Amino acid sequence: MENHFTIEERIQFLISKLRKQVKPIHRDNALRLSADALEQVETIADIATKAHYLNELAIACIEIKLADKCLEILDRALETTQAIPTRTTKVTKLIKIGSMYVKLGIEDRGLDLLDRALQLAKTLEDVDERDYALSDLVSACEDIGYNTLAISIAKLV
């Protein structure tokens, strides 16, 4: 009996396996898995879905301390995010990417992306969408230790 998995199922499986490669002796296998997952992600046609899986893959790489691979994936995620047509989705992706850059110690770039997300969130016409985006930004700022910034943004909600 032959198994037929969707691309997304294959990506989720590879990311799951990647997250288990935590020991330094597993580094080569982790790099292979991340490359395989990235190759699968690149085949996704829907831009928002591709950005989602690039973010998930980058998070997995951060978790197992593959900083160089994470940076490569984040650069690709940022490039993909720029092409997302809906502002709400773009804000969400910019928040995730920006906070990951900060976690990797590249604060200037991360804060620039978080600021871009804030400016874009302020332009959302739907009040509920704007407040939701700003709340996501507050949570991300708290998560990376920028509590003063989080408080300033929370006042906009």
Side-chain angles (χ1 to χ4, degrees):
M1 188 162 102
E2 192 173 325
N3 288 326
H4 295 284
F5 296 104
T6 66
I7 291 171
E8 291 183 37
E9 289 170 334
R10 280 183 270 170
I11 293 167
Q12 290 168 355
F13 173 75
L14 289 168
I15 291 172
S16 175
K17 282 185 73 170
L18 179 62
R19 285 190 161 111
K20 296 174 184 171
Q21 308 298 310
V22 294
K23 294 181 181 177
I25 61 170
H26 297 141
R27 182 172 172 76
D28 289 342
N29 195 42
L31 288 170
R32 183 186 55 74
L33 285 168
S34 63
D36 290 350
L38 182 57
E39 184 179 316
Q40 293 293 315
V41 170
E42 291 295 349
T43 66
I44 296 174
D46 181 71
I47 296 168
T49 303
K50 182 184 284 190
H52 168 75
Y53 282 110
L54 286 167
N55 283 327
E56 289 299 311
L57 185 54
I59 290 167
C61 287
I62 286 175
E63 289 172 359
I64 62 169
K65 300 181 180 22
L66 290 179
D68 291 343
K69 191 66 175 179
C70 182
L71 287 173
E72 173 191 338
I73 294 165
L74 284 177
D75 288 342
R76 184 68 188 114
L78 183 57
E79 181 182 316
T80 302
T81 297
Q82 299 309 321
I84 294 174
T86 58
R87 289 184 292 168
T88 305
T89 304
K90 189 178 283 193
V91 167
T92 301
K93 302 306 179 196
L94 286 171
I95 291 168
K96 288 183 179 188
I97 295 168
S99 64
M100 282 189 271
Y101 273 113
V102 172
K103 288 177 183 178
L104 286 169
I106 307 172
E107 291 186 35
D108 290 345
R109 189 161 193 191
L111 290 173
D112 178 56
L113 293 172
L114 292 173
D115 183 59
R116 285 173 47 192
L118 174 61
Q119 298 313 315
L120 191 56
K122 287 180 179 179
T123 68
L124 296 173
E125 294 171 10
D126 183 296
V127 176
D128 291 335
E129 285 182 0
R130 186 191 71 228
D131 288 350
Y132 182 78
L134 291 172
S135 294
D136 276 354
L137 191 51
V138 168
S139 295
C141 289
E142 289 173 340
D143 185 46
I144 57 176
Y146 287 98
N147 296 324
T148 305
L149 182 57
I151 292 168
S152 298
I153 297 168
K155 292 178 181 177
L156 300 173
V157 179

